Amino acid sequence: MVTVDVGGVAQGVATRGTSTAYISVAGKNGANGSVVIMDGTSISDRVATGPNPRIVAVNRFSWKVYVAYSNGITVIDPFSGNSTVDIPYYTSTPLTVVVEPLRNKAFVTTNGALTVIDGQTNAKDVYVLGTSVAVGHAVNTNTNDVYRSVAGSYLGSPQSELGLVDNSNYSSLDYQANETFGKVAVDSWTGTVFVESSSAAGDSSIVLVNPATRSKIGQLSISSKPTSLVVDSIRQRTYATLSGGGVVVIDSSNTASVVRTGVHPVATAVNERTGATYVANQGSASVTVIQPADLQPVKNDFTGGREADVLARDGAGALWLYPGDGAGGWLSRRQVGQGWNVMTAILAPGDFNGDGYSDVLARDSAGALWLYPRNGAGGWSPRVQVGSGWNVMTAITGVGDFNGDGKPDVVARDSGGVLWLYPGNGKGGWLAQSRIGSGWSIMTDIMGVGDFNSDGASDVMARDSGGRLWLYPGNGAGGWYPTMQYGQGWNGMTAVFGPGDFSGDRKADVMARDSSGAMWLFSGSGSAIWPSGRVIGQGWNGMTAIL
């Protein structure tokens, strides 16, 4: 994953060919905007457009680029030296732009109207749809079907609708629901239609519809309203940028995970030839390129099996690996070290040295901090000292990528209760530390729990002296969102830690040992709902450290 500064407020993105991407960039103080042209991860050109350009769409046959701005469309022809034609016909801002290449037409919706632009002549036909009804369009590039979502007010109907579009309106109805529909995307190989949906309570989700049967085949909850929705049909991966930050990735098994990109992602596009996915980040004036091979690291994966594991030190100083089975249970444990009783803190930062394997950091009694690189097969590479003077810290924990640069970080509390962020450089070293909090002396435990609330950013949990457990949601940029209390009575637990996704549902979990030595798994829901726990082991009271 790489991020490129586009030198302006990125608002929309589309791709063509093997490596070209177009990113709309707003002008300053209402001035005309532009489209930045990227070849791979390098900027090659910039083309002027109308003011406040947003949506970008490409005709995959003619390669003409359609850019929606505040009250019109700029058409860019890459085979005529990126010459432009302006179509300033609209009385309101275009809401959707899709291109049906076989008929060589672009479909543009505004507030209550559908405009069809002829790709050869740029002539337009305008059809009145009604007030505030059509809210999303998508095209199946195999069947050339164009789908339209309706938000629920069409012809007075209280239901949202998903229909097929002809040149003027729609020709058949595919699906109705008592939900508020929004953006639409289509898997051109399977035919599945993905529709943004909001419930009456305001909860966001993505509904999966089978057009052949006009039925819902799935519905996935997401943490915030999507700002864009797109499908890589070849690899059967669906991407939704979220208004709350991050990009939801839905795989072929219809399981969702979240990738964190730049600040405030607003648009995404997939180059289906290469699988590269371009995300326009409005808040950070950048574009993030996600490669199809990019796999999000699995917290506490010490065996290379992409399941969360647990490490524990016994009273004799032996270190034991307890491999997780990926479903909330255990495989056979094995000893992976001895002499660890000289360590006063042991933590799991993730892949700290950038070799693809989860590592361990440990502080000895002299205050030296050591990196123990894992070799991906349950063993160790030679340890390396990565710091000294850490004995002034009263708590140290690995928090994953807390500042949003893609590298695992560490958080530490000093004796004054100040919380410090130590950003990792991804190569086994550090970037400059920064202060991120104070008053943390009341906390008896501080732990990194991964992305506990499913917004794509790493979070922190802490237990206070009163036994209350608090979630400190990270904002993906080295800071915090408002805290949430996740329960009380936790002072009965003698150890609390975050292993990542131990239950196998792709949601971060919490584990705790009680005073009898029983190990509890609290399988996270990915939301504010706190799960009930279950016992998954006994006899853990002989362990002096668990991570």
Side-chain angles (χ1 to χ4, degrees):
M1 188 163 63
V2 64
T3 300
V4 179
D5 181 5
V6 297
V9 181
Q11 306 203 109
V13 60
T15 65
R16 77 169 179 88
T18 58
S19 61
T20 304
Y22 298 88
I23 301 94
S24 62
V25 178
K28 295 181 179 180
N29 301 320
N32 283 354
S34 62
V35 167
V36 171
I37 302 176
M38 290 178 58
D39 287 328
T41 58
S42 301
I43 295 174
S44 62
D45 200 0
R46 187 182 294 262
V47 180
T49 68
N52 196 29
R54 301 184 70 83
I55 305 166
V56 186
V58 176
N59 186 318
R60 66 189 182 98
F61 289 168
S62 70
W63 298 129
K64 284 187 177 180
V65 183
Y66 295 81
V67 185
Y69 61 88
S70 57
N71 62 344
I73 300 287
T74 296
V75 184
I76 303 172
D77 187 349
F79 295 116
S80 297
N82 291 325
S83 62
T84 61
V85 173
D86 194 57
I87 310 176
Y89 310 143
Y90 303 104
T91 58
S92 59
T93 302
L95 302 175
T96 65
V97 181
V98 296
V99 177
E100 200 284 274
L102 188 65
R103 286 180 283 175
N104 196 17
K105 294 181 183 294
F107 294 82
V108 183
T109 55
T110 56
N111 211 359
L114 169 68
T115 300
V116 182
I117 300 175
D118 186 290
Q120 182 66 36
T121 65
N122 293 321
K124 67 177 179 65
D125 292 302
V126 180
Y127 305 91
V128 176
L129 300 177
T131 303
S132 301
V133 288
V135 291
H137 281 83
V139 59
N140 184 319
T141 56
N142 281 343
T143 64
N144 301 304
D145 290 328
V146 178
Y147 292 89
R148 184 197 71 187
S149 63
V150 174
S153 59
Y154 182 68
L155 296 180
S157 170
Q159 293 184 313
S160 289
E161 300 175 356
L162 178 68
L164 279 171
V165 179
D166 61 18
N167 276 5
S168 60
N169 200 333
Y170 70 88
S171 56
S172 65
L173 186 65
D174 287 309
Y175 179 69
Q176 288 185 332
N178 289 315
E179 302 173 71
T180 302
F181 286 166
K183 299 168 183 64
V184 184
V186 182
D187 187 322
S188 296
W189 289 104
T190 67
T192 301
V193 182
F194 297 79
V195 189
E196 170 198 350
S197 179
S198 299
S199 69
D203 297 323
S204 294
S205 64
I206 296 175
V207 175
L208 285 66
V209 177
N210 182 343
T213 61
R214 302 184 180 184
S215 62
K216 179 171 71 175
I217 58 176
Q219 188 162 5
L220 300 172
S221 296
I222 53 179
S223 60
S224 59
K225 182 179 176 63
T227 54
S228 67
L229 190 62
V230 69
V231 176
D232 180 350
S233 300
I234 293 176
R235 296 159 190 84
Q236 293 185 32
R237 299 179 79 181
T238 302
Y239 299 84
T241 54
L242 300 179
S243 56
V247 180
V248 168
V249 184
I250 304 172
D251 63 21
S252 58
S253 63
N254 294 331
T255 303
S257 58
V258 181
V259 176
R260 200 75 187 189
T261 61
V263 179
H264 193 192
V266 292
T268 186
V270 175
N271 187 317
E272 290 193 302
R273 294 192 183 187
T274 65
T277 302
Y278 295 79
V279 181
N281 306 303
Q282 191 177 72
S284 54
S286 64
V287 173
T288 301
V289 184
I290 305 172
Q291 299 297 339
D294 286 344
L295 292 175
Q296 290 302 291
V298 175
K299 191 179 189 300
N300 280 39
D301 174 19
F302 297 113
T303 64
R306 295 196 63 76
E307 284 96 23
D309 309 313
V310 171
L311 285 173
R313 178 186 64 189
D314 65 22
L319 194 65
W320 296 87
L321 172 64
Y322 290 81
D325 66 2
W330 306 99
L331 303 178
S332 299
R333 77 167 188 171
R334 62 180 183 270
Q335 187 174 343
V336 292
Q338 57 187 2
W340 284 74
N341 44 10
V342 301
M343 297 300 177
T344 58
I346 308 173
L347 56 143
D351 178 17
F352 193 72
N353 62 357
D355 64 357
Y357 303 118
S358 294
D359 305 315
V360 168
L361 288 170
R363 178 186 63 187
D364 65 24
S365 56
L369 194 66
W370 297 89
L371 170 65
Y372 288 81
R374 298 295 285 171
N375 62 13
W380 306 99
S381 298
R383 74 173 187 172
V384 179
Q385 186 173 348
V386 294
S388 59
W390 283 76
N391 44 10
V392 300
M393 297 299 178
T394 58
I396 313 172
T397 186
V399 291
D401 176 21
F402 191 74
N403 62 358
D405 65 356
K407 313 296 192 305
D409 307 317
V410 168
V411 162
R413 178 188 62 194
D414 66 24
S415 57
V418 175
L419 199 66
W420 297 89
L421 173 66
Y422 288 82
N425 64 6
K427 300 177 182 179
W430 309 99
L431 302 176
Q433 71 186 65
S434 61
R435 176 173 171 159
I436 58 172
S438 60
W440 284 73
S441 294
I442 64 170
M443 299 300 178
T444 59
D445 286 281
I446 302 171
M447 67 199 109
V449 289
D451 179 17
F452 196 80
N453 60 0
S454 297
D455 67 351
S458 293
D459 306 317
V460 172
M461 274 192 178
R463 177 177 60 176
D464 65 24
S465 55
R468 291 166 296 196
L469 196 65
W470 299 88
L471 175 69
Y472 289 79
N475 64 7
W480 311 99
Y481 289 129
T483 60
M484 299 176 61
Q485 184 176 340
Y486 264 110
Q488 55 190 1
W490 283 77
N491 43 12
M493 297 295 181
T494 58
V496 185
F497 62 101
D501 173 23
F502 193 79
S503 62
D505 62 356
R506 299 200 180 188
K507 305 292 191 300
D509 307 321
V510 169
M511 295 174 74
R513 177 187 63 190
D514 66 23
S515 56
S516 73
M519 183 65 75
W520 292 78
L521 171 65
F522 296 87
S523 184
S525 65
S527 68
I529 300 173
W530 182 255
S532 58
R534 63 184 176 91
V535 175
I536 60 171
Q538 299 283 353
W540 285 79
N541 45 10
M543 297 299 176
T544 59
I546 311 174
L547 59 147

